[in-house]
Amino acid sequence: MEAMRKNSMNYGIILGLVMIVITTLMYAIDINLFTSTWIGMVNLVVITGFGAFAAAKQKKVNGGFLSFKESFTCFFITVVLGAFISTLYSILLFNYIDTEAKIIITENVTKKTVEMMQKFGGKAADINKMAEEMQKADSFGLWGQLKGFAFSIILYSIIGLITALIVRRERPQSI
């Protein structure tokens, strides 16, 4: 069990570093990438892939067997640690290094949301109220980042449960 935790933590640290590189590249290349749907999907695949990889590696270490609980634990430790490292970096980047960036991203997210609501025929009063609330929310501040981290843990826990079902392979019971 201790070796499993250690391996999962190692993969979690690597995941966190990969997410820092991705965030830094997005920041350096084009800040508008933070509002890109496809970048969000890439992040989802990368994070899920790391969690699944950690579980699959542990299964190999265990001679091809891994219980559901062990599989989920590998996935969960890897993803939580990686997401935590990435969140700390984002807090640092958007609240201490470049506070202007979070203002630009918030404006872009608000603009995209308003456009989407207009396409779906939202009422002007509702759209304006929602846009005003989004501007006040400070999604990239400390509490906004921590709420986002908590939400992502819930999402990745669900993905982790599904992944654990796929990766697991119980040892045969001897009679």
Side-chain angles (χ1 to χ4, degrees):
M1 192 65 149
E2 187 60 35
M4 179 180 72
R5 283 191 191 115
K6 183 179 178 189
N7 288 334
S8 297
M9 289 180 71
N10 287 339
Y11 288 118
I13 291 168
I14 294 167
L15 172 59
L17 295 174
V18 167
M19 295 309 296
I20 286 172
V21 168
I22 290 172
T23 300
T24 303
L25 287 172
M26 290 168 41
Y27 175 78
I29 293 170
D30 183 1
I31 204 157
N32 293 317
L33 291 173
F34 285 96
T35 58
S36 171
T37 303
W38 71 271
I39 289 288
M41 296 305 289
V42 167
N43 284 340
L44 180 76
V45 169
V46 168
I47 293 168
T48 301
F50 261 88
F53 182 77
K57 286 300 244 183
Q58 188 61 42
K59 181 178 173 181
K60 188 175 179 181
V61 167
N62 288 358
F65 299 102
L66 196 66
S67 71
F68 175 81
K69 179 184 177 185
E70 291 169 326
S71 181
F72 178 75
T73 300
C74 287
F75 183 96
F76 189 77
I77 290 170
T78 300
V79 168
V80 167
L81 184 56
F84 183 72
I85 292 168
S86 178
T87 299
L88 288 178
Y89 179 72
S90 292
I91 289 169
L92 181 67
L93 176 63
F94 296 118
N95 292 282
Y96 298 101
I97 296 172
D98 187 358
T99 56
E100 184 70 25
K102 74 178 179 178
I103 295 167
I104 294 167
I105 296 169
T106 300
E107 288 173 357
N108 289 344
V109 169
T110 304
K111 180 181 170 188
K112 282 188 170 200
T113 304
V114 166
E115 289 171 359
M116 182 183 69
M117 288 180 76
Q118 288 171 338
K119 283 181 187 176
F120 288 111
K123 296 177 185 176
D126 293 338
I127 293 172
N128 290 337
K129 182 179 178 183
M130 183 275 319
E132 200 174 291
E133 289 174 10
M134 287 181 74
Q135 291 293 324
K136 291 179 188 175
D138 193 16
S139 298
F140 291 91
L142 176 64
W143 292 114
Q145 291 277 346
L146 292 176
K147 282 188 231 173
F149 172 73
F151 174 77
S152 70
I153 296 310
I154 293 167
L155 172 67
Y156 285 112
S157 292
I158 295 166
I159 293 170
L161 291 170
I162 295 166
T163 303
L165 283 171
I166 295 167
V167 173
R168 73 165 162 59
R169 181 169 177 224
E170 302 286 341
R171 291 188 187 279
Q173 299 293 327
S174 55
I175 299 175

